[in-house]
Structures are given as structure tokens and as C-alpha cells.
């Protein structure tokens, strides 16, 4: 007999022990330090040129504006010159060594900001040994000016967390230097260095917060303006669709009624004629039903169809009279042979003139306006012009959102027309519109 033994399997031991909160905090801190100051510390990150679209720089001539974009680089160069002065003012024998040690880190901030910080930290012990005196350990004047400049520039070019890490590393070096590493007079000016650098970095952090808040507000305003413009566009299209619904539905209803009543106006109509009128009425009713199904969805629940008919160019004199009563001196000029146009064209032309005169009242109070209507072959031309507001006007222009122009362009685009709107050389404003009208055989007869 053979005895077989079955090895006892031990339950797997969970080696992933839960970490304490302190350990996790320390791990996160070390990860942040490695990410901000160690990983790609000497990566090439050139300092971008300054934008020249600010309230002051945009007023400069084009040539000066081009040079003004190099202002950040020039300021760093000036700071490097002051650092050189501080480094060499009291060090006659070691000026040739102290000068480059204090200037190079400052200039390096323009291309490798984090690397410039580490170079400044590495140069600080050497500058302390070469140029130390009583009360100036471990930060001699040149090293103090160099490191403060480097901290400021790097903090402005990076995020606030990186500035905090640089300040902590600087403080750790100051404590180590005051503990016995280096010549005499230990720890004489580490405290003032930390206080001054903390104040500078706090100001830079507030600058970062203000800039990010301004960028967020600007982005939000841009999104709000786009949404407002989109909403205005949809509202204008809804209004146009409602008016088209009223116009077309009216005509289709008239066609259906006349087709139903036509056989009774003829004595003993032939069966073919009766069937033709029945077909016309059925098609008109079907088209009217389909039209109401498609365009009727744009009506709001509380929208009520106007009792009065939609305005046309024949009602333009009443509109001009109301505008004159509001204080706008306006005159009308009509050229060409006046003829009846499709109701959609008449309505759109009336609305365009109405909106253009409203803009004149709003933006050019006290000015005079002129409405020119031209009946030309193939369409209708409109031109609404207002002059600049007089300097002695009692009312100031009322700012608007520009939605009226959007509505006019929508109406013109709907009819396949063309429109231009813009300010004239004399300070006035001009709106020119052409609405095409298809010439039918009945018009040509």
C-alpha cells in the first residue's frame, strides 16, 4: 500500500494592506512633488510673447505693438541686470564667478522655468561660500535677488501648487544650511527670505486666481452670447413660420371654399367639371391639413392667431406716421411701377422696414431717415438709411444686442434674397435689401 499525502493549501494572504490616511497623504504629496519639480524639470518651455490686444497695447502703432509683445522677455532681462548689480557690488575678487551664477538662472526662466529653479538652488551654496559676510548666510545679496526673481517668474509660468513646492524646498534648504552646513553666521537671513518669498508667491497666486476667474467669466459670456443669439434666431424663425402659416393657410382655405362653391355658379355643369372641382377641393384640404400639421407645431400653447390681417406695403404710410410721432423725421420714396406682390414678400418687406426704423430710433435718436422702395423687374428693392445722430441730441443712443439685424437676415434668406447692412462714412447706417419675385405668366400678360 502506498500512502499519499495531500498538501494542505493555505488561503491566500491579502498582501494589500490598507494604508493609513497619513501614508496616503504623504504618497500624494511626493507624487505631486515629483510631477511638478522633478518630472521633465529641464523640458524646453519657451516664454510666449505677450498678447497685444489689451486696452493699452491696441492703441499703439503697429510697429510699436510688434515690439511690445516682447515685454515679458525685456522685463526678465532687466531683472537679470539688477541681479548682476547685487551680485558684484560687494565682491571684488569673486565677481567673475558670482555674476554668472546669479544671472544664468534668471535668464534660464525664459526657456526652462523649473530647471532654472533647480539651477538657482544649486548655485546658492556656491554664491554663499564665495560672497558671504556677516548676516548674509546662506543668502548673499546676489543669490537673494536671483532666487526671488526665479521664484516669481516660475510661479507666474506654472500653477500655484508648483510655487508651494518651490517655497517648501527653499525653506528646507535654509533650515539645512542653518543646521551646520556651510561657513559661519548660520541661519542669519533664512527667515526674512521665507517671509519675502511667501508674500511674493501669495501675490502671484492671487494673480493666477484672478486671471482664471476672468477667463472663466469671458468663456461664460461667450457661451451666453452664443446661446442668446441662437435663441433669438429660433424665435425669429418661429415668428416667420407662424406668419407663413397664417398667410398660406388663408390662401389654401380660400381655394378650398371657391372650389366647393364653383359648381353651383354654373347652370348644369358637366360631370367632368364637378369632378375637377371636387379634386381641387380635396387637394386643397389635404394640403391645408398637412400644412397645419407641419407648421402648426411652432405655435406656442398660448399663441393666438391675430384677428387683423398681416401688414403689407400698403400699410407702410401708417407705420411711417407712427415713427414720425415717435420723433424720427422719415421720408419715403417709391420708384418703379407699383404692383401687387406675393403676401410673404409684402409681409417681409414691411417687417424689414419696421425693424430698420426701430433701430434708427434706438441707435440714432434725433437723426433723419429715408425709406426707398423700388419695384424692379424680378423683385423688390428696399433701402433704409439714417444719418448720424446730431451732437445736440437730448437722448443718448440705446445699446442693443443686434438681434434685429439677425431677424432681417433670416427673412431675406427665407425668400432667397440679398441683404447688406453697415455703417456709412458720414456716421449713418444703411440697410439694403433685394427680395426676388418670380414673374408668372399672368404678370407678363
Amino acid at each position: 500500500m502506498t500512502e499519499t499525502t495531500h498538501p494542505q493549501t493555505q488561503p491566500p494572504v491579502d498582501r494589500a494592506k490598507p494604508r493609513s490616511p497619513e501614508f496616503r497623504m504623504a504618497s500624494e504629496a511626493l507624487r505631486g512633488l515629483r510631477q511638478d519639480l522633478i518630472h521633465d524639470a529641464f523640458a524646453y518651455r519657451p516664454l510666449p510673447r505677450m498678447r497685444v490686444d489689451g486696452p493699452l497695447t491696441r492703441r499703439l502703432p503697429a510697429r510699436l505693438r510688434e515690439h511690445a509683445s516682447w515685454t515679458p522677455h525685456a522685463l526678465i532681462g532687466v531683472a537679470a541686470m539688477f541681479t548682476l548689480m547685487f551680485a558684484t557690488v560687494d565682491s571684488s575678487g569673486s565677481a567673475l564667478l558670482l555674476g554668472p551664477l546669479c544671472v544664468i538662472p534668471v535668464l534660464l526662466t525664459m526657456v526652462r522655468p523649473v530647471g532654472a529653479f533647480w539651477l538657482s538652488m544649486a548655485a546658492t551654496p556656491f554664491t554663499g561660500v564665495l560672497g558671504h559676510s556677516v548676516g548674509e548666510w546662506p543668502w548673499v545679496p546676489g543669490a537673494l535677488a536671483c532666487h526671488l526673481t526665479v521664484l516669481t517668474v516660475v510661479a507666474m509660468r506654472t500653477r500655484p501648487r508648483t510655487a508651494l513646492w518651490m517655497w517648501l524646498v527653499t525653506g528646507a534648504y535654509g533650515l539645512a544650511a542653518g543646521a551646520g552646513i556651510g561657513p559661519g553666521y548660520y541661519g542669519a537671513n533664512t527667515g526674512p527670505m521665507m517671509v519675502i518669498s511667501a508674500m511674493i508667491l501669495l501675490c502671484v497666486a492671487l494673480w493666477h486666481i484672478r486671471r482664471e476667474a476672468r477667463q472663466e467669466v469671458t468663456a461664460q459670456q461667450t457661451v451666453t452670447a452664443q446661446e442668446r443669439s441662437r435663441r433669438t434666431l429660433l424665435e425669429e424663425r418661429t415668428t416667420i413660420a407662424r406668419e407663413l402659416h397664417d398667410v398660406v393657410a388663408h390662401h389654401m382655405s380660400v381655394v378650398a371654399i371657391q372650389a366647393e362653391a364653383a359648381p353651383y355658379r354654373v347652370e348644369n355643369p358637366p360631370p367632368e367639371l364637378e369632378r375637377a372641382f371636387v379634386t381641387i377641393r380635396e387637394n386643397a384640404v389635404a394640403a391645408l391639413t398637412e400644412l397645419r400639421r407641419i407648421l402648426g407645431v411652432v405655435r406656442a400653447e398660448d399663441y393666438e392667431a391675430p384677428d387683423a390681417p398681416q401688414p403689407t406695403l400698403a400699410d407702410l404710410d401708417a407705420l411711417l406716421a407712427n415713427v414720425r410721432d415717435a420723433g424720427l423725421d422719415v421720408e419715403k420714396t417709391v420708384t418703379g411701377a407699383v404692383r401687387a406682390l406675393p403676401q410673404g414678400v409684402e409681409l417681409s418687406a414691411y417687417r424689414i422696414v419696421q425693424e430698420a426704423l426701430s433701430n434708427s430710433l434706438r441707435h440714432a435718436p434725433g437723426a433723419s431717415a429715408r425709406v426707398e422702395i423700388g419695384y424692379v423687374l424680378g423683385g423688390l428693392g428696399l433701402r433704409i438709411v439714417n444719418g448720424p445722430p446730431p451732437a445736440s441730441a437730448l437722448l443718448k443712443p440705446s445699446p442693443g444686442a443686434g438681434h434685429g439685424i439677425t431677424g432681417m437676415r433670416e427673412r431675406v434668406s427665407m425668400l432667397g434674397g440679398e441683404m447688406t447692412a453697415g455703417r456709412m462714412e458720414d456716421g449713418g447706417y444703411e440697410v439694403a435689401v433685394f427680395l426676388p419675385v418670380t414673374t408668372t405668366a399672368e404678370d407678363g400678360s
Side-chain angles (χ1 to χ4, degrees):
M1 296 178 64
T2 60
E3 182 180 357
T4 60
T5 59
H6 298 280
Q8 297 181 356
T9 58
Q10 298 292 334
V13 179
D14 187 7
R15 299 180 179 274
K17 297 181 179 180
R19 304 294 185 180
S20 63
E22 293 80 6
F23 180 85
R24 289 197 298 269
M25 291 178 59
S27 177
E28 291 292 334
L30 292 177
R31 187 180 297 109
L33 175 62
R34 182 170 62 252
Q35 181 181 358
D36 293 340
L37 293 184
I38 299 176
H39 181 67
D40 288 338
F42 286 85
Y44 180 68
R45 301 169 185 171
L47 178 65
R49 296 167 64 177
M50 186 182 69
R51 297 177 57 180
V52 292
D53 55 353
L56 297 178
T57 52
R58 70 163 61 103
R59 300 180 181 179
L60 297 175
R63 183 173 300 178
L64 291 179
R65 195 182 305 120
E66 179 70 19
H67 295 300
S69 62
W70 296 99
T71 300
H73 304 76
L75 291 177
I76 294 177
V78 172
M81 293 180 59
F82 278 102
T83 302
L84 181 63
M85 292 173 54
F86 281 110
T88 58
V89 65
D90 291 330
S91 53
S92 57
S94 57
L96 294 178
L97 295 177
L98 283 176
L101 287 176
C102 296
V103 171
I104 292 177
V106 176
L107 298 177
L108 192 62
T109 57
M110 290 188 286
V111 289
R112 306 181 191 276
V114 179
F117 166 75
W118 287 116
L119 184 60
S120 176
M121 291 297 305
T124 300
F126 295 98
T127 57
V129 172
L130 293 174
H132 85 281
S133 60
V134 178
E136 293 181 353
W137 174 261
W139 310 95
V140 297
L144 182 67
C146 170
H147 202 64
L148 287 177
T149 303
V150 170
L151 285 178
T152 304
V153 176
V154 177
M156 295 181 68
R157 296 199 58 192
T158 56
R159 52 184 175 177
R161 193 180 74 175
T162 305
L164 176 61
W165 282 121
M166 292 190 300
W167 187 78
L168 293 176
V169 171
T170 301
Y173 166 76
L175 293 177
I181 304 176
Y185 318 112
Y186 302 135
N189 59 359
T190 297
M193 168 66 179
M194 296 303 294
V195 173
I196 296 174
S197 60
M199 294 177 62
I200 294 176
L201 295 180
L202 179 60
C203 293
V204 174
L206 293 177
W207 174 78
H208 271 293
I209 295 174
R210 182 177 180 273
R211 186 183 65 172
E212 292 176 359
R214 185 170 63 247
Q215 291 176 351
E216 184 177 354
V217 170
T218 302
Q220 187 64 32
Q221 288 177 347
T222 302
V223 173
T224 302
Q226 292 176 351
E227 291 296 330
R228 187 185 299 113
S229 178
R230 186 179 306 170
R231 184 173 62 251
T232 302
L233 189 62
L234 292 177
E235 291 175 354
E236 188 64 31
R237 289 180 177 178
T238 301
T239 302
I240 295 172
R242 287 170 177 170
E243 294 174 347
L244 279 176
H245 178 272
D246 297 335
V247 171
V248 179
H250 168 73
H251 287 294
M252 294 302 296
S253 300
V254 171
V255 170
I257 293 173
Q258 289 182 349
E260 185 177 4
Y264 300 100
R265 298 183 180 182
V266 180
E267 185 177 358
N268 298 323
E272 295 81 3
L273 183 61
E274 290 183 353
R275 286 195 298 270
F277 280 120
V278 170
T279 303
I280 292 174
R281 182 183 180 279
E282 291 177 352
N283 290 334
V285 172
L288 184 60
T289 303
E290 188 70 15
L291 177 68
R292 285 174 176 168
R293 184 182 67 83
I294 296 175
L295 294 181
V297 296
V298 302
R299 293 184 180 274
E301 294 181 358
D302 56 348
Y303 176 78
E304 297 180 0
D307 296 333
Q310 297 292 348
T312 62
L313 290 177
D315 304 313
L316 199 57
D317 291 335
L319 173 64
L320 299 182
N322 291 334
V323 172
R324 293 189 186 100
D325 293 339
L328 180 64
D329 183 14
V330 58
E331 60 180 11
K332 183 182 74 169
T333 303
V334 180
T335 58
V338 179
R339 66 183 187 276
L341 301 174
Q343 190 168 356
V345 176
E346 294 261 357
L347 175 61
S348 296
Y350 180 90
R351 296 300 189 198
I352 290 171
V353 174
Q354 184 182 38
E355 184 61 38
L357 294 179
S358 298
N359 289 341
S360 300
L361 281 170
R362 186 183 303 113
H363 299 288
S368 59
R370 186 173 67 258
V371 178
E372 300 176 1
I373 304 175
Y375 291 86
V376 297
L377 183 64
L380 177 71
L382 298 174
R383 185 171 180 264
I384 304 95
V385 183
N386 66 266
S392 59
L394 298 179
L395 298 177
K396 294 183 179 180
S398 175
H403 296 161
I405 298 295
T406 302
M408 286 190 281
R409 292 191 186 279
E410 278 299 307
R411 292 183 180 273
V412 174
S413 176
M414 176 190 66
L415 297 174
E418 299 178 358
M419 172 180 167
T420 58
R423 194 166 298 278
M424 299 188 299
E425 296 181 357
D426 60 353
Y429 202 84
E430 177 190 29
V431 175
V433 175
F434 176 76
L435 302 178
V437 177
T438 304
T439 303
T440 62
E442 183 181 354
D443 296 335
S445 60

